[in-house]
Amino acid sequence: MKTLLIVFHTHGVKTARMADAVARGARAALREAESEDAVRIVVKRCAEAGAEDVLGADALILGTPENFGYMSGMMKDFLERVFYPCEGKVEGRPYALFVGAGQDGSGAQTSVERIVTGLRLRKAHEAIVCVQALTPAIAEACETLGATFAAGLAIGTM
Ligand SMILES: Cc1cc2nc3c(=O)[nH]c(=O)nc-3n(C[C@H](O)[C@H](O)[C@H](O)COP(=O)(O)O)c2cc1C
């Protein structure tokens, strides 16, 4: 059985809704393909997640708000905790990122991407950056992201 790990942080609402949409899309894709036994979907807040989760995951989707032009402090804490225990052990595994932002989001995106590039994770999907309100189109994009990862893991193409 494969594992899709979704790790996010927020003190608000929007990024949590994006995480919900990613997980919903992943579960729906597995249901549709009758592959629920093929992929385990694990959703954790950054504070609850650690290196064991990352080492045990076949694919990783990260979510953070943009705060002060950077990823949230809790996402940075998570990445600091997992970096050295995971370095050299997760190379090539697919990842993607979603960002909840007020008006920009690029600082959060760049800062996360720089660190996960250091882990040699493989970017398997363009980042989803949601500025201002979470529109149905962006929620759908998050669902599609989750579905793409779950289906890819289930059939072995991810
Ligand atoms: C302390 C703080 C700093 C912020 N800094 C930025 C920023 O640098 N760029 C930006 O686009 N939005 C910024 N925002 C706005 C949030 O990213 C935005 O409200 C986002 O939707 C929060 O998502 P959430 O509901 O998951 O908390 C900031 C918000 C807070 C509370």
Side-chain angles (χ1 to χ4, degrees):
M1 188 183 220
K2 300 281 181 66
T3 299
L4 170 59
L5 177 65
I6 301 167
V7 180
F8 75 101
H9 168 75
T10 178
H11 284 305
V13 173
K14 188 165 75 182
T15 314
R17 288 197 176 140
M18 295 175 82
D20 285 346
V22 172
R24 190 168 58 242
R27 292 193 180 104
L30 294 175
R31 237 185 353 261
E32 203 168 302
E34 297 182 2
S35 300
E36 283 142 305
D37 293 341
V39 182
R40 192 163 62 104
I41 298 165
V42 179
V43 183
K44 289 198 172 187
R45 295 250 173 180
C46 287
E48 299 156 0
E52 290 305 313
D53 297 298
V54 178
L55 291 170
D58 298 282
L60 176 64
I61 302 180
L62 299 170
T64 179
E66 174 163 282
N67 289 341
F68 304 134
Y70 202 77
M71 73 182 89
S72 69
M74 293 302 290
M75 178 58 76
K76 183 162 180 281
D77 170 77
F78 165 72
L79 291 172
E80 286 173 357
R81 284 185 289 109
V82 306
F83 191 89
Y84 287 113
C86 294
E87 193 181 25
K89 297 176 182 160
V90 293
E91 291 181 12
R93 292 188 201 174
Y95 87 92
L97 169 68
F98 59 91
V99 175
Q103 65 282 336
D104 187 359
S106 61
Q109 180 182 347
T110 306
S111 58
V112 171
E113 289 183 347
R114 190 181 304 129
I115 292 172
V116 295
T117 299
L119 283 175
R120 304 272 184 267
L121 294 176
R122 175 172 55 84
K123 185 175 180 175
H125 196 287
E126 280 309 309
I128 298 175
V129 179
C130 177
V131 289
Q132 301 183 348
L134 179 58
T135 61
I138 295 175
E140 195 180 323
C142 290
E143 289 178 7
T144 302
L145 167 62
T148 302
F149 269 59
L153 286 173
I155 61 174
T157 58
M158 176 58 67

